[in-house]
Amino acid sequence: MIKMKVCMLGAFAVGKTSLVQQYVNSIFSEKYQTTLGVKIDKKSVSINDQTLELILWDLAGEDEFIEVRSSYLRGSSGVILVADGTRAETLDIALMLKQKVDREVGEIPFILLVNKADLADNWTIDQTRLEQLKQDGWFIMLTSAKDSANVEDAYLALATKLQQTL
Amino acid sequence: MKTQYPDNVINKILQITLETHTFAYLAIDRDGVLLNRSGNIIDLGLPDWKTAENILNEALFLSGMLPLDSGYEFIPSWHVNDNKVVDIHLFQDNDTTWAVLVDKTEDLEWQSQARQKANELRLLQHEMEQHKQSLQTPKDSSSKLHCSFFEALDMMALHQNKDGSFELLHPVSDNFQQIFPEAFANQKKVYPQDKFLFIENFLIDAQQLWDLAINHQRITSGPWIETLAHGDNVALEAIAINWDKHKLLFLAIQDASYQQNHDFLQRGRDEVLLNNILEKEVHKRTELIRAREEEIALRLVCAADSKDSGETGAHIRRLGLYCELMATHLGWKQDKIDEIRIAAPMHDIGKIGIPDAILKKPGKLTDDEFTIMKTHTEIGGKILSNSKSSLVQMAREIALNHHEKWDGSGYPQGLVGEQIAIGARIAAIMDVFDALIHKRAYKSEMSIDEAIQIMTKGRGTHFDPDLFDLFINLKKEVTEITRLNNDSIC
């Protein structure tokens, strides 16, 4: 089985931990619990008769208190950038983290998840920017860790991209 | 077979012995009375015994010896006092016991020094052994102290072997037995890098540190979280240290300090999130108020314009949207963008003060009529004057100045260039454009390209040239606004 390290990156409280927990353990908690440090989970996924083991590094969200350590990104095969649809500024942080990954690891497969799709009424993220990113070749999915919408598909999409690099 | 020495050899040995040692002898009878003595017994530290004196009580080396049944006894290294040591040879000759005392003080000092050195060497070897063991698998008393220390701190200390495995420096504590049972099973060969993926990554940095071999330098991993078999999470941190060329790795359970940092971070982030929610709520309510203001303004403008058969509610709406588009592309702040969208439609509010006979006259106005007509700018300015609201202030500027021209040929004040408020310069362009492309009672509509062609003649004379260029650049968006906003709001 091929093991591939995937880093979950994004601003704080965008739902990185919730996405991992929904994907790996099928659970969701309404209460926001900040992540301090790193939590590593694993999940196997089969694509085209090949099984990949995704080693999911759930990193503490970036903000004025915490910066993602470059050493945590080392050896990553892919990245999941996460933004919160209800907080427009989290897209800027996701873009900044993408640049950091490019600098530290190089260009590796990635996807952008705009999470909290269940709160679409409170959406503030700039759709024009998302469209622009799509035009630039970004793979973007709207997800909800709460009702699990697109969560499985999102990881599968990245795993497919990872498999194509093998 | 005993060696037989010639008499001359024996004599020489005796001579050397006598010359190199201090001697004394005593002859004592069965009762301990001194019969005879020779040599300097005082130099040997003994009392100045006299012949016929019973010395049994003072010569303790004779206690129990008299009479000497065995014929010969040797008492080595007898400590006469703190400074003198003698070897004592006792032998029996008929009724007399002879005691030969040989000074051994110097010999003993030498032996003592040699023994001291030997002991020191042994102690040193022992300490080195202990130190070595403490770095390996300490089981002595000081190591027990280390064990308690590490256990109290919920730490695990490991020493990296040459083959990349690690060796535990103390027994595994109860907490680590749950977290890292493999270490409990085999303390000599432990592989934390296989157990913890996080450590596998951290060891790359640790190895670089160890290779640098700068004594006492260390790095920390930052916290990471492990989930135990029963589902509880535990936070850990790794520390790599160079210690006298030993590659040491400490794994520490983060309890109170981690929880404190976590709680601090949680509080800070909760506060930021709450502020975000409150800001959004304030923004939402402000938007509602702004929308209400806008609607009231537009309806009032509609009421005023109802006198003017040439203007429509749709025109008013479009003018606001055109101006909003221009302001957005000029990089204005959102509140100012919102203001011009609401203020621009009020540009002709002064027409409320123009007599219907002039305002609704189907034909061309006379010079006098036109002079009256031009006063709608000042009337509008007056209606909107003396307001503290920045929105109404902008509306006044636009109402008063939207017929001013870039070259100073406009009215009412004949302002030139940037003397004219920017809101009025924008509204001037968009007002003319929308009027040209829409049908009025007194004229037919033009195509957008025809309108732009005509207006281009006014670039730099009638219109601000830079704003006019921006308008041309936004032709696509302007056209879209025109297409989507033909319904009257009034």
Side-chain angles (χ1 to χ4, degrees), chain B residues 311-369:
Chain B
E311 300 285 344
T312 68
H315 165 71
I316 291 163
R317 163 66 79 189
R318 285 193 299 269
L319 185 59
L321 295 174
Y322 295 141
C323 290
E324 178 185 45
L325 176 72
M326 292 281 281
T328 302
H329 284 82
L330 285 168
W332 287 19
K333 287 184 178 174
Q334 190 58 48
D335 58 336
K336 287 292 165 193
I337 294 171
D338 291 340
E339 281 181 2
I340 198 170
R341 186 184 67 247
I342 303 167
M346 298 185 221
H347 65 293
D348 274 342
I349 199 164
K351 285 183 179 174
I352 203 167
I354 303 297
D356 286 354
I358 296 172
L359 199 63
K360 294 183 176 178
K361 184 179 176 182
K364 194 179 176 185
L365 298 178
T366 65
D367 288 348
D368 289 343
E369 287 169 339

Side-chain angles (χ1 to χ4, degrees), chain B residues 255-380:
Chain B
D255 43 16
S257 62
Y258 176 84
Q259 200 56 48
Q260 260 180 354
N261 290 338
H262 181 273
D263 292 349
F264 173 76
L265 193 64
Q266 180 83 41
R267 275 198 302 276
R269 289 177 164 179
D270 281 344
E271 206 167 293
V272 172
L273 288 173
L274 182 64
N275 283 342
N276 271 351
I277 292 168
L278 292 175
E279 268 177 31
K280 275 181 195 163
E281 191 58 32
V282 168
H283 183 72
K284 202 169 150 185
R285 285 169 186 265
T286 308
E287 285 287 299
L288 280 174
I289 294 167
R290 183 55 58 88
R292 200 162 57 203
E293 278 180 350
E294 188 170 3
E295 189 176 347
I296 291 168
L298 288 174
R299 287 185 185 278
L300 287 174
V301 170
C302 281
D305 287 349
S306 65
K307 290 180 68 183
D308 181 1
S309 59
E311 300 285 344
T312 68
H315 165 71
I316 291 163
R317 163 66 79 189
R318 285 193 299 269
L319 185 59
L321 295 174
Y322 295 141
C323 290
E324 178 185 45
L325 176 72
M326 292 281 281
T328 302
H329 284 82
L330 285 168
W332 287 19
K333 287 184 178 174
Q334 190 58 48
D335 58 336
K336 287 292 165 193
I337 294 171
D338 291 340
E339 281 181 2
I340 198 170
R341 186 184 67 247
I342 303 167
M346 298 185 221
H347 65 293
D348 274 342
I349 199 164
K351 285 183 179 174
I352 203 167
I354 303 297
D356 286 354
I358 296 172
L359 199 63
K360 294 183 176 178
K361 184 179 176 182
K364 194 179 176 185
L365 298 178
T366 65
D367 288 348
D368 289 343
E369 287 169 339
F370 188 59
T371 301
I372 293 168
M373 185 64 169
K374 286 196 290 186
T375 61
H376 81 276
T377 54
E378 291 162 304
I379 295 167

Side-chain angles (χ1 to χ4, degrees), chain B residues 164-176:
Chain B
S165 67
F166 287 84
E167 192 173 342
L168 266 173
L169 296 183
H170 58 88
V172 181
S173 68
D174 290 345
N175 284 330
F176 269 105

Side-chain angles (χ1 to χ4, degrees), chain B residues 306-456:
Chain B
S306 65
K307 290 180 68 183
D308 181 1
S309 59
E311 300 285 344
T312 68
H315 165 71
I316 291 163
R317 163 66 79 189
R318 285 193 299 269
L319 185 59
L321 295 174
Y322 295 141
C323 290
E324 178 185 45
L325 176 72
M326 292 281 281
T328 302
H329 284 82
L330 285 168
W332 287 19
K333 287 184 178 174
Q334 190 58 48
D335 58 336
K336 287 292 165 193
I337 294 171
D338 291 340
E339 281 181 2
I340 198 170
R341 186 184 67 247
I342 303 167
M346 298 185 221
H347 65 293
D348 274 342
I349 199 164
K351 285 183 179 174
I352 203 167
I354 303 297
D356 286 354
I358 296 172
L359 199 63
K360 294 183 176 178
K361 184 179 176 182
K364 194 179 176 185
L365 298 178
T366 65
D367 288 348
D368 289 343
E369 287 169 339
F370 188 59
T371 301
I372 293 168
M373 185 64 169
K374 286 196 290 186
T375 61
H376 81 276
T377 54
E378 291 162 304
I379 295 167
K382 197 171 179 182
I383 290 169
L384 297 166
S385 62
N386 299 322
S387 173
K388 288 180 182 174
S389 158
S390 60
L391 166 65
V392 179
Q393 286 168 4
M394 184 185 281
R396 177 187 166 274
E397 286 174 352
I398 293 172
L400 184 62
N401 297 325
H402 72 281
H403 282 292
E404 298 285 0
K405 293 182 179 175
W406 184 254
D407 61 3
S409 63
Y411 64 88
Q413 300 173 84
L415 300 175
V416 179
E418 293 185 356
Q419 287 178 333
I420 309 164
I422 188 166
R425 281 182 270 149
I426 293 170
I429 296 169
M430 304 319 302
D431 186 33
V432 171
F433 169 75
D434 197 67
L436 287 176
I437 64 169
H438 287 91
K439 191 179 176 183
R440 294 284 188 271
Y442 53 87
K443 73 168 192 67
S444 58
E445 76 268 32
M446 285 182 186
S447 72
I448 289 175
D449 287 338
E450 282 174 323
I452 288 174
Q453 197 178 356
I454 288 172
M455 288 176 72
T456 303

